[in-house]
């Protein structure tokens, strides 16, 4: 898939847009995972914002943008997690 940093039109909130290129079975599992993520509210978990499908059938997930290093990056350089 592809990931983009975007500005949401309705409130100019900076978000991450993930466009998922996957099979129908994978898409259904991802939708279930996104619905679970939607229910979570924790300061250490990126916030789920919305999900939709394009006219071409691609699944799109919009999530909070977390500025900073990834856990992978921190772990690889020995930084504090």
């Amino acid at each position: 898939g592809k990931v983009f940093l975007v500005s949401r039109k309705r409130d100019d909130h900076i978000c991450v847009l993930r466009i998922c290129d996957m099979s129908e079975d994978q898409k259904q599992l991802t939708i279930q995972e996104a619905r679970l993520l939607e229910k979570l509210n924790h300061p250490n978990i990126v916030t789920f914002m919305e999900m939709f499908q394009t006219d071409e059938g691609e699944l799109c997930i919009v999530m909070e943008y977390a500025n900073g290093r990834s856990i992978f990056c921190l772990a690889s350089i020995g930084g504090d997690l």
Side-chain angles (χ1 to χ4, degrees):
K2 300 173 187 169
V3 179
F4 301 94
L5 189 60
V6 298
S7 176
R8 195 165 55 178
K9 285 184 179 181
R10 69 174 168 234
D11 58 9
D12 290 327
H13 192 85
I14 301 298
C15 308
V16 172
L17 170 65
R18 179 177 172 205
I19 301 175
C20 307
D21 182 24
M22 55 185 58
S23 71
E24 283 301 316
D25 288 341
Q26 291 171 322
K27 192 182 296 184
Q28 292 307 313
L29 290 173
T30 302
I31 289 170
Q32 289 176 354
E33 183 179 326
R35 287 184 179 146
L36 177 62
L37 184 60
E38 185 176 22
K39 296 175 184 178
L40 299 177
N41 183 14
H42 190 278
N44 294 333
I45 299 175
V46 173
T47 302
F48 171 89
M49 300 177 96
E50 61 185 288
M51 173 176 49
F52 60 92
Q53 288 193 37
T54 65
D55 292 339
E56 293 79 25
E58 294 176 306
L59 180 63
C60 297
I61 299 172
V62 181
M63 299 173 63
E64 168 189 26
Y65 171 62
N67 190 12
R69 295 182 181 168
S70 69
I71 289 178
F72 177 78
C73 179
L74 290 173
S76 67
I77 62 173
D80 292 334
L81 298 177

